[in-house]
Amino acid sequence: EAGVAQSPRYKIIEKRQSVAFWCNPISGHATLYWYQQILGQGPKLLIQFQNNGVVDDSQLPKDRFSAERLKGVDSTLKIQPAKLEDSAVYLCASSPGGWDANTGELFFGEGSRLTVL
Amino acid sequence: GQQVMQIPQYQHVQEGEDFTTYCNSSTTLSNIQWYKQRPGGHPVFLIQLVKSGEVKKQKRLTFQFGEAKKNSSLHITATQTTDVGTYFCAGRGYQKVTFGTGTKLQVIP
């Protein structure tokens, strides 16, 4: 079974530039998550989708971050304009259950490492 | 909002010693999951606990879920160098999964 695919693996940009990350979850997984992991910290949830609807985006900085999940499958996360503090690894994860399922491990992709100069 | 804290933040142990990390949530959880993240890697699922007071074992790893479903612990018996990494708990509350702050384990051969 193919895992969660993410691209690009690495990206270096200057502040105020824009960047986009792509995620393809495991086939059939209803729930998709984007997490931001700053070095030395735990993953912080940015946005959670169930199918193509947003379940939680309370911690997404909406003035600069946006995300969408096309047709309930692939997802993109965009940052525009980037700030120095956005330097982090952006992890995409998927799980088979819906948000209200009391089960469902998260399967993570390899992550996209962003460096903002 | 829901907050999940872990202690200690770092732990260095001699190979063969035991290790324990503790996880505390500000709110009652429906379940708790544990993940391991190797240096440079991504979190990998270890286990899920659902019931109050539940205890599960995986070889040298023992996981506990508190009676009030607000805390949990992971205990590793006789650590090995392959146990190196950061261990995260992740609490599932209403609609979301919140990761803890993590405990970084270093094992000295």
Side-chain angles (χ1 to χ4, degrees), chain B residues 21-41:
Chain B
T21 173
Y22 299 91
C23 174
N24 290 284
S25 171
S26 59
T27 59
T28 302
L29 303 169
S30 58
N31 66 46
I32 195 155
Q33 298 173 344
W34 285 90
Y35 292 79
K36 177 182 179 181
Q37 186 173 27
R38 294 183 186 275

Side-chain angles (χ1 to χ4, degrees), chain A residues 25-58:
Chain A
I26 293 173
S27 177
H29 280 196
T31 308
L32 185 148
Y33 311 78
W34 281 102
Y35 283 90
Q36 179 194 59
Q37 188 173 27
I38 292 172
L39 187 64
Q41 298 183 17
K44 170 190 166 185
L45 181 67
L46 293 176
I47 190 166
Q48 178 179 337
F49 294 94
Q50 183 180 353
N51 298 311
N52 60 352
V54 175
V55 173
D56 183 2
D57 64 356
S58 58

Side-chain angles (χ1 to χ4, degrees), chain B residues 1-3 26-27 96:
Chain B
Q2 181 179 307
Q3 293 187 348
S26 59
T27 59
K96 67 170 65 175

Side-chain angles (χ1 to χ4, degrees), chain A residues 33 35 37 40-43 45 48 55-56 58-59 91 98-99 101-106 108-110, chain B residues 9 30-31 33 35 37 40-45 48 50 88 92 94-102:
Chain A
Y33 311 78
Y35 283 90
Q37 188 173 27
Q41 298 183 17
L45 181 67
Q48 178 179 337
V55 173
D56 183 2
S58 58
Q59 298 190 94
L91 293 163
W99 65 264
N102 202 29
T103 57
E105 69 180 269
L106 273 60
F108 283 87
E110 296 290 338
Chain B
Q9 188 175 3
S30 58
N31 66 46
Q33 298 173 344
Y35 292 79
Q37 186 173 27
H42 59 277
V44 174
F45 176 82
Q48 176 172 280
V50 178
F88 292 100
R92 183 182 289 272
Y94 180 68
Q95 288 189 321
K96 67 170 65 175
V97 177
T98 302
F99 276 75
T101 48

Side-chain angles (χ1 to χ4, degrees), chain A residues 50-86:
Chain A
Q50 183 180 353
N51 298 311
N52 60 352
V54 175
V55 173
D56 183 2
D57 64 356
S58 58
Q59 298 190 94
L60 186 73
K62 297 180 186 64
D63 58 334
R64 298 184 301 106
F65 286 64
S66 64
E68 61 179 1
R69 189 176 184 191
L70 306 172
K71 300 180 181 179
V73 181
D74 292 9
S75 178
T76 55
L77 175 70
K78 296 180 181 177
I79 308 174
Q80 182 180 12
K83 292 185 175 180
L84 296 177
E85 59 261 36
D86 298 333

Side-chain angles (χ1 to χ4, degrees), chain A residues 4-26:
Chain A
V4 177
Q6 288 189 247
S7 68
R9 287 294 311 279
Y10 305 92
K11 189 75 176 179
I12 301 174
I13 61 174
E14 298 198 345
K15 59 183 179 183
R16 291 187 290 273
Q17 287 187 325
S18 63
V19 63
F21 302 112
W22 173 82
C23 172
N24 186 286
I26 293 173

